[in-house]
Amino acid sequence: MKSILDNHPGLRQEVEKAAEVAGYLWQKGWAERNGGNITLNITEFADDGIRALPAITDPTPIGLKLPFIKGCYFYCKGTNRRMRDLARRPMENGSVIRILDDCEHYEIVADAPVLPTSELPAHLSVHNRLIEKGSPYKASLHTHPIELVAMTHNPKFLEKDVVTKILWSMLPESKAFCPRGLGMIPYALPGSTVLAEATIRELEDYDVAMWEKHGVFAVDTDIMSAFDQVDVMNKAALIYEAAMNMGFVPEGMSEEQMAELSRVFHLPK
């Protein structure tokens, strides 16, 4: 069967990155059953041939009006699909959707009628805001990193920037490669507009948002970079956990040492 990836090397590269990341998520234990989601804005690869593709499903309501994604194309992980399967067969476990001109509906155009994630409204709302503010970010990732999620079960860690400062202090790379830190979002029903709106607010100041007792939502220029931000922060959480398991509270880098990192590497915070 012909695929939308045929004769579109740029698009194929981005989808293959998503497949690679999906494999990492499964290997790390961050993607139990069908847990987690990936959404890529692939509009830049939509040439005349892709734009001429007929819909293979009826229009489906998004649930809200998103004017800045009008006519955009997205690759989305399928609902009830597993990351471990997407890693091997991305176009059987995800699909390409087109946003209709009313900005309230989408249709699937390739390769198969795999319905997108149930959290699509949250993902598309974020992409709508990214486009609105002229952001270069094209990828969004939702996953369940064990140690980061565990930290959200402690109320003191839910206070603004408490976890960010702890994790930044564990190793220099966490501050260098997740330089805007972690935003904290109180528990909200998965897939709800409340969660979507809260995520958009936090992503004004952060690139990674923690969903209390649920998971993380990260955005970046591509899916590998979004994964890297989560990966480095979870490594910091592992170091914190390892020290605590050894029977001591880790000292961490000082405020002066972290400030030096920001100056030398021109970090935003």
Side-chain angles (χ1 to χ4, degrees):
M1 184 181 79
K2 292 192 68 175
S3 170
I4 193 173
L5 305 183
D6 296 340
N7 302 314
H8 294 98
L11 175 56
R12 178 179 292 278
Q13 182 180 46
E14 296 308 309
V15 172
E16 287 179 349
K17 283 183 193 175
E20 183 177 352
V21 166
Y24 296 154
L25 300 177
W26 166 248
Q27 291 162 14
K28 285 179 169 290
W30 297 358
E32 70 292 336
R33 199 179 182 275
N34 61 316
N37 289 299
I38 290 172
T39 304
L40 311 177
N41 182 347
I42 59 167
T43 308
E44 65 186 289
F45 305 110
D47 58 13
D48 290 344
I50 289 178
R51 293 184 181 280
L53 288 172
I56 57 177
T57 61
D58 292 332
T60 301
I62 299 169
L64 60 169
K65 191 178 184 72
L66 301 171
F68 294 96
I69 61 170
K70 176 180 178 180
C72 288
Y73 290 75
F74 296 89
Y75 170 80
C76 309
K77 173 182 171 285
T79 189
N80 211 31
R81 301 300 175 108
R82 292 159 172 78
M83 288 290 186
R84 62 181 183 260
D85 295 329
L86 190 151
R88 295 174 295 164
R89 299 181 296 274
M91 294 309 297
E92 293 179 28
N93 293 281
S95 58
V96 174
I97 67 170
R98 174 168 55 218
I99 308 301
L100 300 185
D101 287 349
D102 67 1
C103 307
E104 296 179 326
H105 293 79
Y106 71 86
E107 57 192 12
I108 299 174
V109 298
D111 279 350
V114 177
L115 293 178
T117 165
S118 60
E119 293 174 338
L120 186 67
H123 281 252
L124 292 183
S125 295
V126 169
H127 283 280
N128 185 73
R129 176 58 183 152
L130 292 173
I131 293 171
E132 180 184 12
K133 64 182 183 180
S135 170
Y137 290 176
K138 299 292 180 65
S140 59
L141 169 67
H142 168 52
T143 189
H144 305 154
I146 300 163
E147 289 74 20
L148 287 177
V149 174
M151 293 184 82
T152 71
H153 286 260
N154 185 334
K156 75 176 184 179
F157 289 150
L158 301 179
E159 297 175 17
K160 183 176 176 62
D161 291 336
V162 169
V163 168
T164 290
K165 290 176 180 177
I166 289 172
L167 298 182
W168 274 352
S169 76
M170 291 297 100
L171 79 168
E173 283 80 2
S174 61
K175 185 167 178 59
F177 298 120
C178 188
R180 300 205 318 148
L182 295 175
M184 282 289 176
I185 298 175
Y187 180 82
L189 184 68
S192 66
T193 55
V194 171
L195 183 57
E197 291 167 357
T199 303
I200 291 168
R201 286 195 298 271
E202 286 302 294
L203 292 177
E204 294 297 305
D205 294 319
Y206 305 91
D207 287 341
V208 183
M210 285 294 313
W211 292 348
E212 180 190 350
K213 301 181 179 74
H214 183 171
V216 302
F217 193 102
V219 293
D220 213 316
T221 52
D222 66 8
I223 196 63
M224 194 64 72
S225 298
F227 167 77
D228 285 343
Q229 292 203 70
V230 180
D231 191 34
V232 73
M233 291 302 264
N234 202 72
K235 169 61 74 66
L238 279 165
I239 294 169
Y240 180 83
E241 177 189 59
M244 296 292 284
N245 286 340
M246 291 177 193
F248 67 92
V249 177
E251 179 182 46
M253 291 186 295
S254 67
E255 291 285 349
E256 292 75 17
Q257 289 167 332
M258 289 193 286
E260 180 184 37
L261 280 173
S262 295
R263 288 195 307 273
V264 172
F265 294 102
H266 307 291
L267 303 177
K269 293 184 181 180

